[in-house]
Amino acid sequence: MSARPFHFTQTEHDTYAPSTYAQSHWGPDHLNGPALVGLAARALETSFGDPEFLPSRLTVDLFKAARGVPTITKLTLVRDGRRVRNAECELIQDGVTVVRATLVQYRLSAPPRGTEWVSPAEFVGPPDRDESRGIGIGSDEVGWTDAIADHQNASRKRFINRTIDVVDGYRNTPFVRASMAAEGTSLVTNLGTDGVGYINGDLTVALARLPRDEWIGVQADSHWAADGIAVGTATLFDSHGAIGSGMVTAVSNPDAQIDFRNDPFPDRTR
């Protein structure tokens, strides 16, 4: 076991045991979204990744609450085309599929002729990044701090994350880092004055390129909600600029609403 924090230990070829870092704020013995997204992304890239292809879209459906039990990865290559590759991964616990992820990869090539419209996007990170920690959070109302509770307000939010390893003993690849960081789309779009009351049932991360460094920023672009259903979108950044987008759909979960002023894991989210 390494000294670095991690979400899972690999116990067999396709079986993983969750660590305490994989625990979610939503309830006892629940696993968090970044851990599940990271495990699926890692399994898909390990089995089907190719340096000539970009893992351009990952969609993760979180079917039901995953728990702190051995988790099996089941992989399927759906299509192995010349320009497009499609693959699927299921995360299975006690014989039940709790997560299904779909990966689309495109072959890298030269860009087409001409110039296209590009959305203006700027991410201004914290002036003094704490290298001893893996997160920072900011909002228009407060600015940057290291505590999520400081940003329980109704202004636009942004997040910077250096992800911990998915599996003990293996460093995260750029694709896995981007996928895990993109799960922060739910945080930056659904965090309000009383905490997070929407639980996302999915994540879609779309990448134009892979991140070039470890720290990845996630900045809210939109949040729309009606009748207990919310949709949030965000832009992902590395130190060189925007790299892609994240999107989540979420359902109201007020009985288990996360108020970070009463955070059970303060060392992890400060």
Side-chain angles (χ1 to χ4, degrees):
M1 184 176 296
S2 70
R4 293 167 56 89
F6 57 89
H7 287 300
F8 293 91
T9 300
Q10 187 170 3
T11 57
E12 296 181 41
H13 171 69
D14 58 357
T15 305
Y16 301 83
S19 77
T20 56
Y21 282 95
Q23 187 173 348
S24 168
H25 284 76
W26 286 110
D29 202 33
H30 282 50
L31 301 188
N32 65 57
L36 298 168
V37 168
L39 184 60
R42 180 183 182 275
L44 285 162
E45 183 181 36
T46 299
S47 294
F48 306 119
D50 188 311
E52 295 185 358
F53 284 75
L54 174 73
S56 194
R57 178 175 65 80
L58 177 71
T59 298
V60 183
D61 291 309
L62 306 163
F63 290 153
K64 61 178 297 184
R67 302 190 180 276
V69 299
T71 304
I72 296 172
T73 58
K74 178 183 177 183
L75 294 153
T76 304
L77 180 62
V78 177
R79 181 176 185 270
D80 188 8
R82 185 178 67 86
R83 299 181 67 188
V84 183
R85 232 178 225 184
N86 306 77
E88 293 182 347
C89 174
E90 294 180 50
L91 302 185
I92 301 169
Q93 295 186 336
D94 295 329
V96 176
T97 298
V98 295
V99 171
R100 176 175 290 136
T102 302
L103 175 64
V104 178
Q105 299 183 89
Y106 296 130
R107 183 179 291 278
L108 298 167
S109 63
R113 296 183 301 276
T115 303
E116 306 87 29
W117 173 83
V118 177
S119 174
E122 182 183 25
F123 183 87
V124 180
D128 298 307
R129 191 173 64 197
D130 185 353
E131 295 292 336
S132 68
R133 299 188 48 77
I135 68 169
I137 186 163
S139 63
D140 288 352
E141 183 175 310
V142 176
W144 283 96
T145 75
D146 63 357
I148 296 173
D150 295 340
H151 304 277
Q152 292 193 178
N153 57 52
S155 69
R156 186 185 190 189
K157 299 175 181 71
R158 52 200 58 85
F159 182 63
I160 189 166
N161 190 8
R162 183 182 59 197
T163 60
I164 69 171
D165 296 337
V166 176
V167 177
D168 183 25
Y170 297 90
R171 298 292 181 96
N172 293 337
T173 65
F175 171 61
V176 172
R177 290 201 304 270
S179 300
M180 295 173 70
E183 217 275 339
T185 299
S186 184
L187 175 66
V188 298
T189 59
N190 289 318
L191 180 62
T193 58
D194 291 323
V196 176
Y198 289 97
I199 183 169
N200 59 306
D202 63 16
L203 166 69
T204 294
V205 52
L207 299 174
R209 64 172 174 84
L210 294 174
R212 297 171 185 166
D213 39 42
E214 288 195 347
W215 287 91
I216 297 173
V218 182
Q219 181 165 260
D221 288 329
S222 68
H223 179 258
W224 314 113
D227 302 320
I229 308 297
V231 178
T233 63
T235 298
L236 312 179
F237 296 83
D238 66 4
S239 62
H240 298 269
I243 63 171
S245 301
M247 185 183 81
V248 296
T249 63
V251 61
S252 177
N253 192 26
D255 290 341
Q257 186 151 339
I258 301 170
D259 185 343
F260 288 97
R261 291 168 296 199
N262 300 304
D263 190 353
F265 310 116
D267 293 337
R268 215 181 300 172
T269 51
R270 284 199 60 80

